Amino acid sequence: MQRVCVIGGSRYFGKLLVRRLRAEGHQVTVVNRGSSSPPDGVEHLAVDRDDEQALTAALASRSFDVVVDQVCYTPVQAAIAVRVFRGRTERYVMTSTIEVYDPDTAALAAHSPGELVPEDAVDPASWPVDMDAPWHDAAYLEAHYAEGKRQAEAVLTRHGTFAFASVRSAHVLGGGARDFTGRLAHYVERIAEGKPVAVHPTVLPSVFVHAEELADLLRWAATASDFTGPLNACSEDPIDVRELCGVIAAQVGREPVYRVARDGEEVSPFSFDRHYAMSNFRARRLGFTFSRTADWLPGVVAEARATAPTP
């Protein structure tokens, strides 16, 4: 049994992670703002993680074997975590994102569509940090989501007094109504209703991960592995948006209608004109086994169809 603190953990794969940790017999404490209560048997501390004084008070004398931070989006939040959890934990795992590799948001080395991007393409040990940027402004944070994650990783890597690991998640699918993003539902509804799907003139592949698989990997990273540094988390086999639409079309019995977007025009989620599909080689080398996207994608489409409005 380990003492695990989960920051966030109130929805989607974070909630799945909490349930898995509890089922394994770990002593789990969830820290969030109180929007929802954790499962029975899980300690709940309702506090804003951005309020350093309140967070310190809420934690009191507690210490943990590992902290899993599901909601760290900025270097400011990371710096608070460094101070608050100094001496309280031996290990810290942050949920990061594939978006750190997006060449639209940072000057990164180019990768061809046939080359899966490794973790060292973004090195948090040397990534520049700007603590004075307006990270508390919601509009700025939304526009700089990927950069916020990169800089949060950098702060925790360089200043944490604990072993630090970041899990860079691929685009997450699965769960039907539990998928609050609505991205897969967007495709299911539009294809079922015969509405056009906006795509780039040339679409490039990306990588995905099932919500259940990501929860399993985070549990493994927290309690069954001691790796440090960034780790890519994605199922095998990248796919592009037209392949995704093909799986949906096979279930709804209707061919997708595409509208090719002009330059600067908004496109549907998962349509990409730049390549940053990740490699999961490091995680596999460390012992984690991933599924194949094609094996679970029809099932998550069926879940989305079951919760979509009737056209």
Side-chain angles (χ1 to χ4, degrees):
M1 183 185 75
Q2 297 187 44
R3 294 163 299 163
V4 184
C5 175
V6 179
I7 305 176
S10 63
R11 59 181 181 178
Y12 207 22
F13 58 85
K15 185 174 287 188
L16 294 175
L17 168 64
V18 170
R19 289 174 178 161
R20 279 161 169 69
L21 291 168
R22 187 71 189 101
E24 281 196 338
H26 300 294
Q27 181 180 321
V28 184
T29 298
V30 166
V31 174
N32 60 36
R33 289 178 294 185
S35 57
S36 63
S37 299
D40 291 343
V42 173
E43 181 183 35
H44 185 203
L45 302 180
V47 62
D48 185 347
R49 60 96 39 84
D50 293 334
D51 187 334
E52 183 172 351
Q53 184 175 359
L55 179 58
T56 301
L59 290 170
S61 61
R62 293 172 180 81
S63 62
F64 308 96
D65 296 299
V66 60
V67 174
V68 183
D69 195 340
Q70 295 280 84
V71 289
C72 188
Y73 301 111
T74 75
V76 175
Q77 291 176 324
I80 290 173
V82 165
R83 292 190 293 268
V84 171
F85 287 97
R86 181 177 288 117
R88 292 183 187 271
T89 188
E90 300 174 0
R91 182 167 176 79
Y92 201 101
V93 178
M94 171 189 156
T95 304
S96 191
T97 173
I98 185 178
E99 302 300 332
V100 302
Y101 301 116
D102 187 349
D104 267 7
T105 62
L108 302 173
H111 291 82
S112 68
E115 180 186 3
L116 298 178
V117 182
E119 287 85 355
D120 62 8
V122 174
D123 179 11
S126 59
W127 197 264
V129 172
D130 181 5
M131 299 293 290
D132 296 324
W135 295 111
H136 296 294
D137 180 83
Y140 181 88
L141 179 56
E142 183 177 1
H144 295 81
Y145 169 74
E147 184 60 22
K149 285 289 192 180
R150 286 187 283 257
Q151 293 192 27
E153 287 189 40
V155 169
L156 287 160
T157 297
R158 298 206 285 264
H159 303 296
T161 56
F162 31 68
F164 173 66
S166 59
V167 172
R168 294 172 175 169
S169 167
H171 308 291
V172 186
L173 295 176
R178 294 192 299 275
D179 178 2
F180 65 93
T181 69
R183 293 176 298 185
L184 184 59
H186 165 87
Y187 287 103
V188 170
E189 292 170 19
R190 293 194 75 82
I191 294 172
E193 296 173 11
K195 295 180 179 178
V197 174
V199 297
H200 291 96
T202 300
V203 294
L204 293 178
S206 191
V207 285
F208 296 81
V209 66
H210 196 294
E212 301 270 357
E213 188 165 52
L214 181 55
D216 281 338
L217 185 139
L218 287 167
R219 176 203 54 77
W220 168 80
T223 63
S225 183
D226 60 359
F227 75 90
T228 58
L231 186 87
N232 295 337
C234 57
S235 297
E236 304 288 350
D237 302 333
I239 63 169
D240 64 39
V241 66
R242 289 180 182 262
E243 292 172 302
L244 172 64
C245 289
V247 174
I248 297 170
Q251 293 196 27
V252 304
R254 194 166 193 167
E255 287 300 310
V257 177
Y258 298 108
R259 179 178 62 79
V260 176
R262 293 185 290 271
D263 285 346
E265 194 175 0
E266 187 174 357
V267 297
S268 58
F270 306 139
S271 180
F272 301 107
D273 60 352
R274 66 268 186 206
H275 173 70
Y276 57 107
M278 301 185 299
S279 166
N280 64 17
F281 176 76
R282 185 182 187 217
R284 288 188 288 111
R285 181 168 54 81
L286 290 170
F288 192 86
T289 302
F290 290 97
S291 63
R292 309 195 80 86
T293 305
D295 291 339
W296 54 259
L297 186 55
V300 303
V301 169
E303 288 178 326
R305 287 186 65 207
T307 57
T310 302

